[in-house]
Amino acid sequence: MMELNQLLDMLKQTSAMQSKQAIASSVSVNTVSANTVSANTACHVDSLDSLYAYPGDDTAALSLNGQYVLHACEGMLPSFVANHPYFAGWSAVMANISDIAAMGGRALSVVNSFWHTSSEQTQLLMQGMQDACRAYGVPLVGGHTNLDAVYQPALSVAIQGTAQKLLSVLHVKPQQKILIALNLQGQFHPNTPYWKCFEHVSDCVLQSQIALLPQLAEANLVHAARDISNAGILGSLLMLLEATASGAHINLDAIPKPDDVGWFKWLQIFPSFGFLLTANADKCEEIIRLFHRQDIACTVIGETNVSGVVTVQQQQQHSIFWDFNNQVFTGFCYADVLKKLV
């Protein structure tokens, strides 16, 4: 078995983790990083509701008439669009729907913009988006098409949704249990970290599974959620914790994993159904039971704390994965602002 320190160091060097860290240098220019939020925009953040619109969560949330309107957008890598057009179209919709769900919301509609050189590839791209929208029961309501030999293939998909009760990374507090919910009934898309668990699954089942998140929010069972995205399991965990500068202790062995997949590959997965959640200890049993009813693996993998340090345990090995006291990840931290709102 690979040493834990070596495993964590290799994960931190992956391109997906590096790309998330690159966000921090760009957001400081745009005055939405941790320090500039507290220094320059605190006068506009007079309540937790106003902070929900800032970057950090999977979507922006705006309070309107007793509920929240949600907005999110996903851009696909040009190489992914060029090499896997159908799956890129599907994935763009699927990722957006997961973002809405991670906020405790339900998707309303999807729009897209894409650029391509090939009409045949464009048809595959559109078919992927249309099939995903049908499968998840969300209408594709328009977009912008750019087709010319001079373009590089690219795709951006945006989504709108609503939530009655928000799940937010801003709700993370010490001594919350951290759970992972993963659909293990899938397979990797060839030569990618994408774990597909939607193939040969009925539309009804897909919609029922994704509806679990808003149900958990409205039942007050979960505080915060984050869908597991291209940063993998531990990278997505950092994004769950960074907004509040929270620390955590994670038991790697508690994470559900197929026996034939190694840890380095599995921790990099971008699953079509995968979420990290925080909840009170007395709610975990019910949460796990609700996921199990949908044939989704769900376990407690750790607990939050005030340290700002993310430690990982595997059998008898212990290692520090990240220390927010010394290093930002994406740069979206609102710990100082939240203290002023208490």
Side-chain angles (χ1 to χ4, degrees):
M1 184 178 68
M2 186 185 300
E3 289 291 320
L4 181 60
N5 282 333
Q6 181 185 3
L7 172 63
L8 298 182
D9 286 342
M10 288 172 60
L11 286 170
K12 284 187 278 192
Q13 298 307 314
T14 58
S15 58
M17 284 284 290
Q18 295 288 322
S19 69
K20 294 298 182 185
Q21 294 172 70
I23 296 172
S25 59
S26 64
V27 297
S28 61
V29 175
N30 295 317
T31 66
V32 293
S33 70
N35 294 330
T36 51
V37 165
S38 58
N40 298 331
T41 61
C43 58
H44 303 297
V45 181
D46 54 4
S47 68
L48 192 58
D49 263 5
S50 58
L51 199 54
Y52 290 136
Y54 282 81
D57 267 308
D58 285 305
T59 81
L62 303 171
S63 180
L64 180 67
N65 298 330
Q67 65 177 352
Y68 294 93
V69 178
L70 308 176
H71 300 275
C73 182
E74 292 284 347
M76 297 290 104
L77 290 171
S79 59
F80 187 35
V81 177
N83 297 327
H84 308 272
Y86 178 87
F87 188 43
W90 177 288
S91 297
V93 171
M94 177 190 68
N96 269 307
I97 288 173
S98 292
D99 286 345
I100 294 291
M103 293 293 288
R106 293 176 172 84
L108 284 179
S109 61
V110 169
V111 294
N112 67 83
S113 294
F114 64 84
W115 293 257
H116 219 297
T117 60
S118 162
S119 59
E120 290 89 357
Q121 297 288 292
T122 294
Q123 289 174 1
L124 289 171
L125 196 68
M126 279 299 303
Q127 193 65 55
M129 286 187 278
Q130 290 168 345
D131 287 353
C133 282
R134 185 210 70 248
Y136 288 100
V138 181
L140 183 65
V141 295
H144 190 71
T145 301
N146 305 275
L147 190 60
D148 194 285
V150 301
Y151 293 134
Q152 180 182 30
L155 172 66
S156 177
V157 172
I159 193 167
Q160 300 76 42
T162 60
Q164 301 300 317
K165 182 74 182 293
L166 276 187
L167 304 178
S168 172
V169 295
L170 299 171
H171 300 165
V172 174
K173 292 181 179 178
Q175 281 73 62
Q176 293 176 356
K177 296 296 183 181
I178 301 171
L179 301 95
I180 191 168
L182 273 173
N183 189 340
L184 298 181
Q185 300 175 50
Q187 61 183 354
F188 282 105
H189 191 72
N191 303 313
T192 74
Y194 304 114
W195 179 256
K196 301 188 294 187
C197 34
F198 57 81
E199 293 179 316
H200 315 298
V201 179
S202 72
D203 298 352
C204 179
V205 168
L206 289 175
Q207 292 173 32
S208 180
Q209 289 173 342
I210 207 72
L212 275 171
L213 278 298
Q215 290 167 12
L216 291 168
E218 290 158 12
N220 294 312
L221 293 174
V222 173
H223 297 296
R226 182 100 206 179
D227 80 313
I228 299 168
S229 62
N230 66 322
I233 293 173
L234 293 182
S236 299
L237 173 71
L238 295 184
M239 292 188 283
L240 178 75
L241 300 170
E242 187 174 28
T244 55
S246 296
H249 181 71
I250 299 298
N251 178 9
L252 205 65
D253 296 311
I255 296 175
K257 180 182 73 68
D259 292 336
D260 60 345
V261 181
W263 277 113
F264 182 62
K265 185 173 184 179
W266 189 246
L267 290 173
Q268 294 181 71
I269 57 166
F270 190 157
S272 62
F273 189 101
F275 295 89
L276 295 164
L277 313 101
T278 71
N280 293 345
D282 61 348
K283 305 295 186 184
C284 292
E285 187 176 333
E286 184 175 356
I287 294 166
I288 291 169
R289 185 168 61 250
L290 288 169
F291 278 110
H292 284 181
R293 285 178 184 170
Q294 299 272 8
D295 295 323
I296 294 166
C298 182
T299 60
V300 174
I301 64 170
E303 182 172 305
T304 60
N305 57 54
V306 297
S307 69
V309 179
V310 180
T311 58
V312 178
Q313 173 184 353
Q314 186 178 39
Q315 297 181 11
Q316 303 307 311
Q317 299 180 78
H318 293 76
S319 185
I320 292 175
F321 181 62
W322 206 269
D323 185 350
F324 288 119
N325 301 298
N326 299 315
Q327 186 178 15
V328 301
F329 186 50
T330 64
F332 298 127
C333 178
Y334 305 98
D336 292 338
V337 179
L338 288 166
K339 290 174 185 175
K340 296 176 182 178
L341 296 178
V342 174

